[in-house]
Amino acid sequence: MSQHTHIPVIAIDGPSASGKGTVAQIVADRLGYHYLDSGALYRIVALVARRQAIDWRDEHALAEMALQLDIRFDGNRIWLGNGDGREDISDAVRTEEMSRGASEVAVHPAVRAALLDLQHSFRQVPGLVADGRDMATVVFPDADTKIFLTATAEVRAERRYKQLMSKGNHANLADILQDLQARDARDRQRSVAPLQQSSDAELLETSALSIEQAVESVLAHHRKSQAK
Ligand code: DC
């Protein structure tokens, strides 16, 4: 990136089911920015590994595969492959099993490194909203606006529960809470790029906020950073 073409980035990190994906997409829409759902990349790695019979613990094989991923994002849809043989894997990566797989493959440093260039390639004019765990700390450390968006585990479990029920899925609140806490612990405790609030990020606690209030808050922080 030359100094003449600074492309603004809004980095939004936070734990699972915090609502950061929803907030990030709305912010991107309002600003006309591109959107990177970095968690989807780890989900894709977990899914493709499962299909190619690569063990989620096999760091080297996972990283090799991640470097060769042939994927396209198109609005809310994720495509694997291209031409007539392409497949819409948007729903396949959203299962609870792939949530777990993503969290497991994401512990490997070589997998994280293999996905860096792909993530950087999303930074295009007029700007990018990137959501994940390490957007502000590792992938876009020079982001203009850094937000750590969270809510209590109980509020997050309830949001996920309502979302599943509204889609007609059977769900158990206690199981969801337990799963979330296990995933939080794994994401926070891994040695590489753990989930943590960057020292220069704004904390946005959304337990008592509506989506619109959270969106407004992110936009206000971004306006402030762009006015500097
Ligand atoms: O945001 P998500 O729930 O789709 O992410 C799935 C998993 O991927 C999550 O448990 C941790 C991992 N992840 C990561 O390690 N780094 C990111 N930037 C995004 C997700």
Side-chain angles (χ1 to χ4, degrees):
M1 195 176 55
S2 89
Q3 61 198 121
H4 303 292
T5 55
H6 174 76
I7 301 174
V9 174
I10 301 177
I12 304 183
D13 293 302
S16 300
S18 55
K20 64 188 183 327
T22 307
V23 171
Q25 280 184 61
I26 297 174
V27 169
D29 272 359
R30 297 257 174 102
L31 296 171
Y33 282 13
H34 300 275
Y35 169 57
L36 166 63
D37 170 7
S38 62
L41 302 180
Y42 294 94
R43 291 170 179 275
I44 294 166
V45 170
L47 177 74
V48 174
R50 179 51 49 90
R51 292 190 175 173
Q52 295 184 2
I54 298 171
D55 196 296
W56 287 341
R57 291 166 301 187
D58 189 343
E59 176 168 10
H60 184 67
L62 289 169
E64 290 240 307
M65 175 266 278
L67 279 174
Q68 288 162 22
L69 280 178
D70 185 13
I71 50 172
R72 259 154 221 85
F73 287 83
D74 179 14
N76 272 337
R77 311 315 293 173
I78 305 169
W79 296 93
L80 181 65
N82 56 58
D84 288 345
R86 71 181 188 158
E87 181 194 356
D88 182 345
I89 55 166
S90 325
D91 296 329
V93 298
R94 295 271 149 226
T95 61
E96 283 301 301
E97 200 201 351
M98 291 311 147
S99 298
R100 188 168 61 80
S103 175
E104 291 192 20
V105 301
V107 303
H108 303 303
V111 172
R112 307 194 69 85
L115 293 174
L116 269 181
D117 285 351
L118 180 57
Q119 294 180 83
H120 290 153
S121 73
F122 281 77
R123 187 173 193 167
Q124 291 180 18
V125 282
L128 174 69
V129 182
D131 101 51
R133 305 295 188 287
D134 61 343
M135 298 297 98
T137 48
V138 177
V139 183
F140 300 108
D142 67 335
D144 303 65
T145 304
K146 299 182 175 184
I147 307 283
F148 192 80
L149 194 153
T150 188
T152 64
E154 287 72 20
V155 167
R156 288 185 284 125
E158 203 157 313
R159 286 178 184 164
R160 167 88 25 113
Y161 174 76
K162 284 186 184 150
Q163 189 184 37
L164 287 169
M165 296 297 276
S166 73
K167 285 187 193 156
N169 292 320
H170 168 78
N172 176 299
L173 187 56
D175 288 349
I176 293 174
L177 180 60
Q178 206 175 15
D179 262 19
L180 265 184
Q181 285 168 329
R183 211 171 323 145
D184 279 0
R186 188 159 47 224
D187 290 348
R188 283 181 202 281
Q189 285 159 14
R190 67 169 178 240
S191 54
V192 182
L195 169 66
Q196 60 178 25
Q197 183 181 345
S198 178
S199 57
D200 52 356
E202 305 285 343
L203 177 66
L204 185 54
E205 220 292 340
T206 65
S207 299
L209 296 187
S210 66
I211 290 170
E212 185 54 34
Q213 286 171 319
V215 167
E216 280 303 326
S217 176
V218 175
L219 288 170
H221 283 303
H222 190 54
R223 274 194 297 272
K224 221 180 332 163
S225 77
Q226 295 307 88
K228 276 183 191 155

